[in-house]
Amino acid sequence: MRRIGVILPSEKYRLLLKDDPNVRKRVQLYTKAAKKQNCTVCFFRLQDLQPNTTTVNSLIKENGTYKKKRVSIPKVIYKRVGHTKKHLPLFESLNQKGVKIFNLYKNNYKWNVWKIVNKNESLSIYQPYTRLASTKSIKSMIRKYPSVVIKPNRGEGGKGIMKIEKDGNRRWVLYTKNSKGQWKGKRFTSKLPSVLTKTIKKRKYLVQEGIELASYNGSKFDLRVAVQKNTREKWQLSAIFTKVAGPGQLLTNMSQGGESYLLEEVLRNHPTLHYHHLFPQIKQISLKLAEHLSKYKKGMYDFGFDIGISKDGRLYLFEVNHTNDYPFFSIKNGELAHEEWYEVYKTPIEYAAKLLKQKLRTDKCSLTNARHKLLFRPPCLY
């Protein structure tokens, strides 16, 4: 059976078992795309894969509901979750058994990605000035820029992000989130607040030049640009999700109250920014980024670029995402918000189907050759 595997985050796997409408819609979109390629899809978690087995516990749709069933490990797997170095031996083991997993990387540390992009002169100009966070680098940057963002070297969803803004001559405000998810400001002068210094000592952080983002209905917005490899082995721009910050929020992250819109919708009545001018720039930069990064990250077939637009219309690359929660942006109340966003589900499944066809063809040829050699093996001489 031509079956494609999709690795889901553990929480989404659990919700699928509970028939959550948003997760159900997500898997329906993958299944719809697979059906058009004469394939089926099974869903499992990263921890369900084991190096010394040929089968995996999966969720497969039977009689309208998803049920656990042990099946052969699919020959092609689309990984929809992050991973760490401890998983690399597992992926290598599966690769040696002829299993193709795409969206692999050695690490997704933000500082490492920043340095890779900075190697390309034509792309480096879109990166805000960034340094590893230390007491010295933070003090230097807050004297240079009106605001800076301090973020974990590894993380997602805006967790752990802090911000410092200038508040007059030699005075600043550090913004952090409390346990209730509310932003709180702490004023300081020459000495950095202890909450900041203690945090950057515990784990690696970056300090980045703050950018004054453009607004939509009074709220800041930026973009998540989905760039994926298609069946022609070319990078394509599959979707642009415009993330608008929630009320009272400093960040646009969906997990922090943000909302997603079409770029055309946000720019339709904007007084200074125009879609027909910005879209070609966004597309050109995003495709160049994917092409450049893929030289260093050969296992990646799906990038999500966080790109900001400043008030004066300049583009900035804030972050490169290796695992993109597109359903978070595209599915609302159990429905796909905009039909054009279906492309982010369809493209990787089409690519997986192509890889699967190639693998099955190769395996068939190998089996035929092996049988041929067995049938025409010369007799043993004693």
Side-chain angles (χ1 to χ4, degrees):
M1 181 180 289
R2 291 168 54 182
R3 179 180 285 132
I4 297 167
V6 175
I7 304 178
L8 293 177
S10 296
E11 177 63 11
K12 301 300 185 289
Y13 179 94
R14 184 184 67 81
L15 290 172
L16 180 56
L17 277 173
K18 291 190 170 185
D19 201 32
D20 175 85
N22 287 332
V23 178
R24 183 176 68 241
K25 184 62 179 180
R26 170 201 299 231
V27 300
Q28 283 175 352
L29 294 170
Y30 289 134
T31 303
K32 174 185 174 182
K35 189 176 181 181
K36 289 189 176 182
Q37 302 300 315
N38 297 316
C39 296
T40 61
V41 188
C42 65
F43 303 91
F44 45 87
R45 301 162 298 181
L46 188 53
Q47 60 262 41
D48 293 321
L49 286 171
Q50 299 298 325
N52 300 318
T53 63
T54 58
T55 58
V56 61
N57 279 323
S58 303
L59 292 181
I60 293 179
K61 193 172 184 179
E62 290 183 351
N63 300 320
T65 60
Y66 283 88
K67 297 179 181 178
K68 289 183 181 180
K69 188 175 181 180
R70 196 156 191 90
V71 299
S72 296
I73 295 176
K75 289 291 186 181
V76 176
I77 297 173
Y78 176 36
K79 188 176 71 65
R80 296 291 304 115
V81 294
H83 65 266
T84 61
K85 286 184 179 180
K86 72 177 183 180
H87 296 109
L88 297 181
L90 167 64
F91 299 145
E92 181 58 32
S93 171
L94 291 169
N95 181 58
Q96 290 174 0
K97 293 176 182 176
V99 176
K100 173 71 175 179
I101 304 178
F102 63 99
N103 283 358
L104 296 182
Y105 48 84
K106 287 187 177 178
N107 71 67
N108 61 343
Y109 301 130
K110 295 169 187 176
W111 180 236
N112 180 58
V113 174
W114 190 91
K115 289 189 292 183
I116 290 173
V117 175
N118 215 47
K119 290 179 181 181
N120 186 302
E121 190 175 341
S122 66
L123 293 172
S124 63
I125 59 174
Y126 296 104
Q127 294 199 118
Y129 186 75
T130 305
R131 284 292 175 263
L132 287 171
S134 65
T135 299
K136 183 179 178 180
S137 64
I138 292 172
K139 283 186 173 182
S140 172
M141 286 185 67
I142 63 176
R143 286 193 292 266
K144 187 176 181 181
Y145 300 107
S147 69
V148 298
V149 175
I150 301 150
K151 57 187 180 182
N153 188 34
R154 180 173 180 174
E156 56 187 28
K159 294 176 183 176
I161 288 182
M162 297 172 278
K163 188 172 184 179
I164 297 177
E165 291 185 347
K166 208 158 242 169
D167 184 37
N169 186 30
R170 295 186 60 79
R171 291 186 305 173
W172 294 270
V173 182
L174 171 68
Y175 290 98
T176 58
K177 274 200 165 186
N178 61 21
S179 57
K180 296 180 180 179
Q182 300 167 324
W183 287 98
K184 296 293 181 182
K186 184 176 181 62
R187 283 174 170 77
F188 66 96
T189 53
S190 58
K191 187 178 180 182
L192 298 179
S194 60
V195 64
L196 173 58
T197 55
K198 287 178 181 178
T199 300
I200 63 174
K201 281 181 181 179
K202 288 179 183 177
R203 59 187 289 203
K204 191 175 286 187
Y205 269 69
L206 306 183
V207 55
Q208 189 171 80
E209 169 194 359
I211 304 299
E212 188 64 29
L213 291 173
S215 298
Y216 172 67
N217 290 339
S219 295
K220 307 295 184 186
F221 72 86
D222 61 12
L223 315 174
R224 171 66 60 86
V225 183
V227 178
Q228 301 171 314
K229 190 163 279 191
N230 59 32
T231 56
R232 302 189 307 279
E233 297 289 336
K234 300 290 185 182
W235 290 102
Q236 70 172 44
L237 193 159
S238 294
I240 297 177
F241 304 96
T242 307
K243 304 177 294 173
V244 179
Q249 291 293 329
L250 299 178
L251 303 176
T252 63
N253 300 77
M254 302 294 290
S255 58
Q256 304 202 28
E259 287 284 340
S260 58
Y261 297 85
L262 291 172
L263 181 60
E264 302 97 304
E265 184 179 359
V266 169
L267 297 183
R268 187 172 295 135
N269 298 311
H270 200 281
T272 59
L273 304 178
H274 305 287
Y275 177 80
H276 71 271
H277 173 69
L278 283 170
F279 176 76
Q281 293 183 56
I282 295 164
K283 182 177 180 179
Q284 181 185 35
I285 293 166
S286 299
L287 293 178
K288 284 182 69 174
L289 276 167
E291 196 68 44
H292 175 67
L293 285 164
S294 62
K295 294 174 184 176
Y296 299 86
K297 296 173 177 287
K298 298 185 184 298
M300 288 298 298
Y301 296 80
D302 190 332
F303 287 111
F305 301 123
D306 283 341
I307 293 178
I309 306 174
S310 67
K311 280 187 170 183
D312 59 358
R314 293 185 61 188
L315 300 180
Y316 290 89
L317 173 68
F318 293 141
E319 220 161 281
V320 175
N321 295 277
H322 296 64
T323 306
N324 305 289
D325 198 0
Y326 298 134
F328 212 14
F329 305 122
S330 60
I331 298 175
K332 299 177 182 180
N333 302 317
E335 295 297 332
L336 189 64
H338 299 282
E339 191 58 36
E340 51 260 61
W341 287 347
Y342 173 55
E343 196 69 29
V344 297
Y345 301 90
K346 180 171 71 77
T347 301
I349 293 298
E350 287 177 345
Y351 188 79
K354 177 192 173 182
L355 294 178
L356 184 57
K357 290 173 188 176
Q358 290 174 344
K359 279 201 159 290
L360 292 176
R361 194 182 305 122
T362 301
D363 291 349
K364 186 177 180 180
C365 289
S366 299
L367 182 60
T368 301
N369 290 337
R371 286 174 176 169
H372 182 80
K373 288 178 181 179
L374 185 63
L375 287 170
F376 294 96
R377 185 174 60 189
C380 296
L381 299 177
Y382 295 94

